[in-house]
């Protein structure tokens, strides 16, 4: 199955989640966060126009996912799935085709009807290579996807695997059996679009019309985005507030200070300087719980000295040289846990004891030994550089890793930060990052599969597979898992796929961050989704 790009997210997440939630943060506009029942939340400027199929970074996802748009199904806070726009989704005997029945009377925020065609046309537009949508690869499950990747398309060709019966019924035929497909449907690449989108997609992205619990009000670039409750919404997420104002920051310290002073209601971007005292800070209400975001050190396969046998030895040496426990305790102040695999402890089939996971322990002597073995293949020269986005919360982490590599391996290691997350992601997708890099991931949907396919599959080359990793055995296991009869059967194969990654180390897992947030005192109903984003609809000041 071909899947080109990533989400999320969701979602760095976005999810995600620190790509989703490590936020960029700018200045407060001076309004008092306590005014009215509008909730203010700190983010960075979205990278792209607000279109579900073309957004796969955290800032935009926080505005779109479960806010301006919802899909056939949605997730509860714990990740369990409930029907949203779908009345029912029925698989055939071998999970190769799904029949969808929509709820009657669905509308977009502008009052126009939401029908089966709203889904079929939107998915086909997103999948069509002519339209260059960043989430196109997520539609690769559907029959006809490969036909929409050919040269010479006009952009309005439709996925052959989608068939509309009437306004409330359509069928989805897949390229291969997939028991996980209903979970994938929670990702915003599968959201519907109104007819107004196709008249001027660019203008739509600046003033989107969605179908979620909120509707778009305004976007003042590099300042704020405002959304208000959608009167046409009848789904699961019923707002208990009068809207959300997303305030944009480029400095996490300023963002946190605004919460402390009452000028911002919520931030999920906690600066390292505040982590140590977060749970004891009397000026805020602090939240911390295990989260889905995984932070790793990516190393491109074509980086000098990091391909073939030499590359595997050096990757393992670097991994063993990193003292994850010291980083999570001294820098993250216990609000992160050392990584033991490529996924997150919040998702099954996490075990913490996969074959090969010992490469993620700290062993300076073994690290030096493996580095010298690599030197026998090709002597090391030059330096080892790590690139990350400076407007996040990771400077101290990478400064620590650089020092650990210097001290253990005796190499010249350094960092090369890029000013903003937006610029960092743009450069990464364009292949302009030619060093080790900040490989952060927050899942787009609640499955361990989303930690594997979008980042490390050969089909993701040219997309989110920044490290240019390709392994046929790994790809084969993903394909078998996708075709498994049940999610439990699929999970067993995903475990085997993770064990291949632990052997090859296309990136080096460092830690899993807690979902941490700080709010002003007095907010009611504060909670967090499985992807660490706030349950915005449930929060109120009354």
């Amino acid at each position: 199955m071909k899947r080109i790009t990533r989400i999320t997210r969701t979602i760095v997440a976005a999810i995600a989640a620190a790509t989703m939630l490590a936020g960029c943060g700018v200045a407060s506009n001076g309004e008092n966060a306590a005014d009215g029942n509008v909730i203010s939340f700190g983010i960075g400027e979205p990278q792209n126009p607000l279109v579900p199929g073309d957004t796969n970074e955290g800032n935009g996802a926080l505005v779109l996912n479960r806010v301006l748009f919802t899909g056939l199904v949605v997730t509860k806070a714990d990740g369990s799935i409930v029907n949203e726009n779908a009345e029912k989704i029925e698989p055939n005997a071998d999970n190769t085709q799904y029949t969808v029945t929509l709820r009657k009377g669905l509308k977009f925020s502008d009052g126009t009807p939401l029908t089966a065609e709203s889904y079929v046309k939107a998915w086909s537009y997103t999948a069509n290579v002519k339209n260059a949508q960043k989430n196109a690869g997520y539609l690769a499950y559907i029959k006809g996807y490969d036909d929409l990747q050919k040269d010479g398309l006009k952009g309005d060709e439709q996925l052959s695997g989608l068939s509309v019966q009437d306004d409330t019924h359509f069928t989805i035929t897949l390229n291969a059996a997939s028991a996980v497909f209903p979970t994938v449907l929670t990702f915003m690449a599968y959201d519907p679009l109104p007819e107004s989108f196709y008249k001027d997609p660019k203008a739509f992205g600046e003033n989107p019309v969605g179908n979620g619990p909120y509707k778009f009000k305004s976007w003042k670039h590099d300042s704020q985005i405002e959304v208000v409750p959608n009167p046409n919404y009848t789904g699961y997420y019923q707002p208990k507030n009068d809207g959300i104002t997303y305030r944009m920051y480029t400095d996490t310290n300023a963002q946190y200070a605004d919460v402390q002073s009452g000028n911002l209601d919520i931030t999920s971007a906690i600066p390292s300087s505040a982590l140590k005292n977060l749970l004891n800070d009397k000026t805020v209400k602090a939240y911390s719980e295990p989260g889905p975001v995984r932070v790793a050190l990516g190393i491109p396969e074509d980086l000098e000295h990091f391909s073939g046998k030499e590359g595997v030895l050096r990757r393992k040496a670097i991994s063993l040289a990193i003292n994850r426990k010291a980083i999570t305790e001294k820098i993250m102040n216990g609000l992160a846990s050392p990584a033991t695999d490529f996924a997150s402890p919040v998702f099954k089939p996490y075990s913490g004891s996969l074959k090969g996971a010992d490469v993620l322990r700290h062993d300076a002597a073994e690290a030096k030994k493996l580095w010298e073995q690599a030197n026998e293949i090709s002597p090391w020269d030059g330096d080892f550089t790590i690139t990350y986005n400076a407007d996040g919360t990771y400077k101290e982490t990478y400064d620590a890793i650089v020092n650990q590599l210097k001290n253990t391996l005796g190499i010249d290691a350094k960092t090369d930060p890029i000013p903003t997350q937006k610029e960092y992601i743009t450069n990464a997708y364009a292949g302009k990052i030619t060093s080790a890099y900040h490989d952060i991931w927050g899942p787009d949907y609640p499955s361990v599969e989303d930690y594997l396919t979008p980042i490390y599959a050969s089909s993701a080359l040219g997309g989110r597979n920044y490290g240019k990793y390709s392994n046929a055995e790994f790809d084969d296991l993903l394909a078998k898992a996708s075709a498994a009869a049940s999610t439990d059967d699929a999970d067993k194969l995903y475990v085997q796929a993770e064990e291949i990654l632990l052997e090859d180390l296309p990136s080096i897992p460092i830690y899993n961050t807690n979902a941490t947030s700080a709010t002003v005192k007095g907010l009611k109903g504060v909670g967090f989704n499985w992807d660490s984003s706030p349950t915005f609809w449930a929060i109120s000041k009354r």
Side-chain angles (χ1 to χ4, degrees), residues 6-76:
R6 176 180 176 195
I7 218 177
T8 183
R9 46 265 195 4
T10 132
I11 16 129
V12 229
I15 36 309
T19 301
M20 297 187 161
L21 296 175
C24 307
V26 227
S28 160
N29 61 9
E31 296 177 5
N32 190 327
D35 289 345
N37 196 24
V38 174
I39 308 302
S40 58
F41 180 75
I43 63 169
E45 173 77 4
Q47 182 190 19
N48 305 302
L50 296 174
V51 177
D54 202 31
T55 298
N56 59 7
E57 52 81 32
N59 295 313
L62 282 162
V63 181
L64 291 169
N65 196 24
R66 297 184 292 262
V67 178
L68 292 180
F69 287 86
T70 60
L72 293 173
V73 292
V74 294
T75 53
K76 294 182 179 180

Side-chain angles (χ1 to χ4, degrees), residues 71-93:
L72 293 173
V73 292
V74 294
T75 53
K76 294 182 179 180
D78 63 3
S80 58
I81 297 173
V82 294
N83 284 340
E84 170 79 348
N85 294 322
E87 182 176 293
K88 54 185 176 180
I89 302 175
E90 300 171 292
N92 64 357

Side-chain angles (χ1 to χ4, degrees), residues 8 76 93-94 107 177 201 341 383 406 429-430 434 448 514 516:
T8 183
K76 294 182 179 180
D94 63 358
K107 295 180 180 180
D341 68 5
D383 55 43
K406 286 179 179 179
Y429 266 102
T434 55
V448 69
N514 278 16
T516 54

Side-chain angles (χ1 to χ4, degrees), residues 516-532:
T516 54
S517 291
T519 76
V520 293
K521 295 181 178 180
L523 288 185
K524 296 177 173 60
V526 177
F528 300 90
N529 293 299
W530 57 271
D531 61 2
S532 297

Side-chain angles (χ1 to χ4, degrees), residues 73 75 99 106 121 206 289 303 327 348 417 454 462 502 537:
V73 292
T75 53
T99 299
L106 296 170
K121 195 171 179 179
E206 295 292 321
E289 57 190 51
L303 196 63
I327 291 172
K348 71 171 190 175
L502 287 167
W537 62 91

Side-chain angles (χ1 to χ4, degrees), residues 28-230:
S28 160
N29 61 9
E31 296 177 5
N32 190 327
D35 289 345
N37 196 24
V38 174
I39 308 302
S40 58
F41 180 75
I43 63 169
E45 173 77 4
Q47 182 190 19
N48 305 302
L50 296 174
V51 177
D54 202 31
T55 298
N56 59 7
E57 52 81 32
N59 295 313
L62 282 162
V63 181
L64 291 169
N65 196 24
R66 297 184 292 262
V67 178
L68 292 180
F69 287 86
T70 60
L72 293 173
V73 292
V74 294
T75 53
K76 294 182 179 180
D78 63 3
S80 58
I81 297 173
V82 294
N83 284 340
E84 170 79 348
N85 294 322
E87 182 176 293
K88 54 185 176 180
I89 302 175
E90 300 171 292
N92 64 357
D94 63 358
N95 295 320
T96 58
Q97 187 178 81
Y98 291 81
T99 299
V100 177
T101 302
L102 294 178
R103 291 194 294 116
K104 295 180 179 179
L106 296 170
K107 295 180 180 180
F108 287 99
S109 61
D110 63 355
T112 57
L114 192 163
T115 67
E117 185 71 20
S118 305
Y119 278 98
V120 169
K121 195 171 179 179
W123 297 0
S124 296
Y125 181 94
T126 299
N128 197 308
V129 68
K130 177 69 174 181
N131 301 321
Q133 300 293 282
K134 291 181 173 59
N135 290 330
Y138 282 94
L139 281 302
Y141 286 93
I142 301 173
K143 183 179 179 181
Y145 176 84
D146 287 346
D147 291 334
L148 297 192
Q149 308 312 302
K150 298 176 180 178
D151 294 333
L153 299 178
K154 296 182 297 180
D156 59 357
E157 293 83 359
Q158 302 293 290
L159 286 162
S160 61
L162 301 177
S163 178
V164 174
Q165 281 70 58
D166 56 42
D167 281 353
T168 57
H169 295 85
F170 69 100
T171 57
I172 309 165
T173 301
L174 306 182
N175 284 310
S178 176
V180 76
F181 185 67
T183 301
V184 178
L185 287 172
T186 63
F187 184 50
M188 60 187 177
Y190 288 92
D191 288 344
L193 290 169
E195 282 301 309
S196 60
F197 168 80
Y198 306 100
K199 296 176 182 177
D200 191 340
K202 184 176 181 180
F204 181 95
E206 295 292 321
N207 189 9
V209 174
N211 67 312
Y214 296 88
K215 67 177 183 178
F216 179 84
K217 181 180 178 182
S218 68
W219 182 358
K220 184 178 179 182
H221 286 281
D222 297 309
S223 178
Q224 67 180 30
I225 293 173
E226 295 178 286
V227 302
V228 296
N230 175 11

